[in-house]
């Protein structure tokens, strides 16, 4: 199965190529490796890595988030002028992702609390992962759209309306 043209109108992207990039990209491989090491090393490994995974991580995360916030501030005016379809997707996308997560949680027999967490994480993927990945994977993509809409529209929506809604839906479906 292939998807449209590649970056810059190149060769079509295949699901295999997307998965290959997802699991072999340096940053992704580092995150997956860190998760694997954390699962294998347990509490003793966690204590040894605390200077890097606890204290240093918080500082680096603060700089990363500050950089993303500055990108939104520089580009939000252009994002506000985006197509109404894109603006609607900035809200409808997370709701759809949360609905899929609720369906999976129901099939897997998760508790209402676990389902609400899965829904919130699924709905937030567009502003946690996508801006950072698009910035490098598709350099010609317009940062005003992917930063501005994800952090300027989706994030506030999820904080103000989405998270309480996801918790309520999970409680109704599984509680």
């Amino acid at each position: 199965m292939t998807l449209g043209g590649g970056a810059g109108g190149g060769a079509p992207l295949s699901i295999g190529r997307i998965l290959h990039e997802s699991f072999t990209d340096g940053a992704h491989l580092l995150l997956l490796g860190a998760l694997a090491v954390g699962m294998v090393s347990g509490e003793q490994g966690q204590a040894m890595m605390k200077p890097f995974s606890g204290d240093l991580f918080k500082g680096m995360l603060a700089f990363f988030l500050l950089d993303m916030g500055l990108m939104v501030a520089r580009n939000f005016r252009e994002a506000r002028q985006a197509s109404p379809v894109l603006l609607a997707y900035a809200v409808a996308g997370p709701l759809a992702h949360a609905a899929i997560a609720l369906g999976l949680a129901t099939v897997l027999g998760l508790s209402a609390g676990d389902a609400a967490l899965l829904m919130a994480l699924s709905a937030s993927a567009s502003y946690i992962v996508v801006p950072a990945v698009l910035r490098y994977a598709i350099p010609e993509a317009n940062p005003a759209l992917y930063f501005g809409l994800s952090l300027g529209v989706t994030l506030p929506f999820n904080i103000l309306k989405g998270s309480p809604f996801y918790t309520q839906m999970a409680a109704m479906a599984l509680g």
Side-chain angles (χ1 to χ4, degrees), residues 5 7 11 14 18 26 28-29 31 34 44-45 47 49 59 69-70 74 79 89 97 112 147 151 156:
S14 69
I18 291 170
H28 296 154
L29 193 57
L31 286 172
Q44 184 180 8
M49 296 305 293
L70 289 171
R74 282 191 293 266
Y89 183 76
H97 302 154
F147 272 108
L151 295 174

Side-chain angles (χ1 to χ4, degrees), residues 130-158:
V130 172
V133 171
L134 280 178
R135 186 179 202 179
Y136 297 104
I138 308 173
E140 63 273 7
N142 184 351
L145 295 179
Y146 64 82
F147 272 108
L149 294 178
S150 63
L151 295 174
V153 177
T154 304
L155 174 63
F157 168 77
N158 269 340

Side-chain angles (χ1 to χ4, degrees), residues 16-139:
R17 181 164 177 219
I18 291 170
L19 290 174
H20 179 267
E21 287 295 320
S22 297
F23 290 106
T24 60
D25 174 71
H28 296 154
L29 193 57
L30 183 63
L31 286 172
L32 292 171
L35 286 172
V37 168
M39 288 177 14
V40 171
S41 65
E43 288 185 32
Q44 184 180 8
Q46 179 184 3
M48 289 175 37
M49 296 305 293
K50 186 172 182 343
F52 299 102
S53 63
D55 304 331
L56 181 63
F57 174 77
K58 291 174 187 172
M60 294 305 291
L61 179 62
F63 284 125
F64 172 73
L65 293 174
L66 179 60
D67 180 51
M68 287 180 62
L70 289 171
M71 278 287 257
V72 172
R74 282 191 293 266
N75 296 302
F76 194 65
R77 176 173 282 136
E78 188 178 342
R80 289 176 52 200
Q81 298 168 353
S83 160
V85 173
L86 288 176
L87 291 170
Y89 183 76
V91 174
L95 291 171
H97 302 154
I100 293 168
L102 180 58
L104 287 172
T106 302
V107 169
L108 295 172
L110 297 180
S111 69
D114 289 339
L117 180 59
L118 182 61
M119 292 171 73
L121 290 172
S122 298
S124 66
S126 65
Y127 54 84
I128 292 173
V129 177
V130 172
V133 171
L134 280 178
R135 186 179 202 179
Y136 297 104
I138 308 173

